[in-house]
């Protein structure tokens, strides 16, 4: 099993050391409305941010906040020098235009990596800020010495926050990448070919053990809440066939939060002219 919890703790230690070096690092999260799942995510991110010494500002707006008010708030956060990273918790209430809101975030502070500028840079192979989930998965693969060069990678799901950036990162790491989605015909034909399989769908145990190639690496992004607890998109029985697999919970989830913190530090460094390897 790939231990996402332990690796996330290691990443948080790295981030804490960088925060100490940088001095003040600021994060602002914005939650519109009171969706219970979103509140849990925001609380988790705040706890993690505070734990590594990042100053986290928790901004909340009522569910019926007009779009102008949110855009005005983002303009203020963009202009605030103490804020290095801005995170707007999604999904937004339906009267708000998500694309417009994301585009209103300064790309230099867009720690979710969703602004068209950051998505475009990733597409061009010159990433800056990349969504935390796929970034965390790449770190897991690196940490466990899982070869991506020449590997056949299959990503199930094509969202802007997981599937698409995942496919681009794998492509950049020289994998041969197939992207599957809800209209894919014969999913199993593709998954059985996968040396690296990433399932990011949100359907309980969509990937059966018989859909997994022997000796492969299986990354389960899915978070499906049931009365019995939290489960992934992959049948846990697949671990008998896979060489490496992430558990749910304790796999991708903790890494996602850790990488959002890492992105905050990346943004802080870039804003101070201390740019790392990426261009
Ligand atoms: P979306 O709903 O945005 O995307 C789901 C994708 O799955 C879509 O591209 C959809 O295809 C595809 N899909 C749906 N049904 C099938 C099917 N039967 N066969 C193949 N593909 C299918 O979800 P997200 O990308 O935001 O999230 C995916 C899952 O990952 C969710 O469970 C979410 O909770 C979890 N998640 C976990 C995170 C973590 O930290 N662990 C972080 C982010 C997400 P189409 O495009 O055709 O509709």
């Amino acid at each position: 099993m790939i231990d996402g919890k332990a690796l996330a703790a290691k990443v948080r230690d790295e981030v804490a050391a960088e925060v100490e070096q940088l001095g003040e690092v600021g994060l602002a999260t914005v939650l519109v409305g009171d969706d219970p799942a979103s509140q849990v995510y925001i609380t988790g991110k705040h706890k993690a941010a505070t734990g590594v010494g990042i100053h986290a500002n928790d901004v909340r707006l009522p569910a019926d906040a007009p779009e102008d008010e949110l855009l005005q708030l983002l303009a203020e956060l963009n202009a605030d020098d103490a804020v290095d990273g801005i995170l707007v918790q999604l999904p937004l209430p339906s009267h708000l235009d998500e694309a417009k809101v994301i585009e209103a975030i300064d790309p230099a502070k867009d720690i979710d990596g969703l602004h068209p500028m950051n998505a475009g840079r990733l597409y061009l192979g010159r990433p800056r800020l990349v969504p935390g989930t796929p970034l965390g998965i790449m770190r897991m693969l690196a940490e466990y010495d899982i070869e991506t060069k020449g590997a056949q990678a299959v990503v199930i799901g094509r969202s802007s926050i997981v599937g698409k950036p995942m496919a681009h990162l794998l492509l950049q790491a020289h994998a041969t990448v197939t992207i599957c989605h809800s209209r894919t015909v014969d999913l199993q034909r593709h998954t059985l070919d996968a040396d690296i399989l990433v399932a990011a769908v949100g359907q309980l145990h969509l990937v059966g053990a018989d859909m997994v190639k022997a000796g492969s690496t299986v990354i389960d992004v899915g978070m499906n809440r049931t009365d019995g607890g939290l489960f992934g998109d992959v049948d846990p029985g697949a671990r008998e066939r896979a060489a490496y697999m992430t558990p749910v919970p304790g796999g991708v989830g903790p890494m996602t939060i850790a990488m959002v913190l890492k992105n905050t530090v990346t943004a802080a460094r870039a804003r101070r002219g201390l740019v790392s390897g990426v261009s």
Side-chain angles (χ1 to χ4, degrees):
M1 294 304 268
I2 295 178
D3 190 345
K5 233 170 131 177
L7 185 51
K10 182 172 165 184
V11 172
R12 285 199 302 272
D13 285 347
E14 291 168 13
V15 174
E18 285 193 77
V19 171
E20 203 174 304
Q21 217 179 50
L22 286 166
E24 286 276 287
V25 174
L27 163 71
T29 62
V30 181
L31 174 63
V32 185
D34 47 18
D35 175 65
S38 293
Q39 294 199 37
V40 171
Y41 293 142
I42 284 285
T43 307
K45 285 168 191 170
H46 270 264
K47 221 175 118 190
T50 311
V52 296
I54 291 175
H55 180 77
N57 181 9
D58 187 353
V59 186
R60 309 236 169 170
L61 294 181
D64 60 354
E67 195 166 89
D68 282 353
E69 189 181 337
L70 178 55
L71 296 177
Q72 175 61 32
L73 168 68
L74 291 173
E76 285 165 18
L77 294 173
N78 286 342
D80 186 343
D81 210 35
V83 174
D84 293 296
I86 301 170
L87 188 153
V88 177
Q89 184 65 44
L90 302 177
L92 290 169
S94 58
H95 69 283
L96 299 170
D97 180 344
E98 215 157 90
K100 195 171 167 186
V101 170
I102 289 168
E103 284 186 43
I105 301 171
D106 178 351
K109 298 187 177 187
D110 167 40
I111 53 166
D112 257 346
L114 292 173
H115 189 286
M117 181 79 86
N118 285 317
R121 291 194 69 103
L122 175 59
Y123 168 88
L124 294 171
R126 293 158 55 214
R128 266 199 190 141
L129 292 168
V130 176
T133 303
L135 197 61
I137 293 170
M138 293 308 288
R139 176 70 189 263
M140 284 176 166
L141 297 177
E143 201 79 19
Y144 281 78
D145 282 329
I146 294 159
E147 181 66 276
T148 53
K149 192 160 75 180
Q152 178 68 51
V154 173
V155 179
I156 318 176
R158 55 175 164 178
S159 69
S160 305
I161 187 107
V162 191
K164 278 185 196 150
M166 185 75 255
H168 280 292
L169 287 172
L170 286 163
L171 186 61
Q172 219 181 320
H174 309 298
T176 301
V177 183
T178 301
I179 306 174
C180 298
H181 46 77
S182 67
R183 312 310 200 276
T184 297
V185 176
D186 197 356
L187 187 60
Q188 184 176 27
R189 181 169 74 79
H190 297 283
T191 60
L192 276 177
D193 253 354
D195 302 310
I196 299 170
L197 177 63
V198 181
V201 176
Q203 275 185 33
L204 182 70
H205 300 169
L206 171 77
V207 178
D210 59 345
M211 293 170 71
V212 168
K213 181 179 175 180
S216 63
T217 297
V218 179
I219 308 290
D220 192 352
V221 184
M223 293 204 299
N224 306 294
R225 275 172 220 288
T226 71
D227 291 342
L230 185 66
F231 296 95
D233 288 343
V234 183
D235 184 329
R239 75 180 61 155
E240 304 301 327
R241 290 171 66 90
Y244 292 99
M245 188 160 148
T246 58
V248 177
V252 174
M255 278 302 282
T256 295
I257 297 188
M259 296 317 276
V260 168
L261 303 178
K262 187 113 184 149
N263 274 347
T264 310
V265 164
T266 302
R269 291 179 66 85
R271 293 186 63 245
R272 289 158 179 70
L274 307 163
V275 178
S276 45
V278 289
S279 66

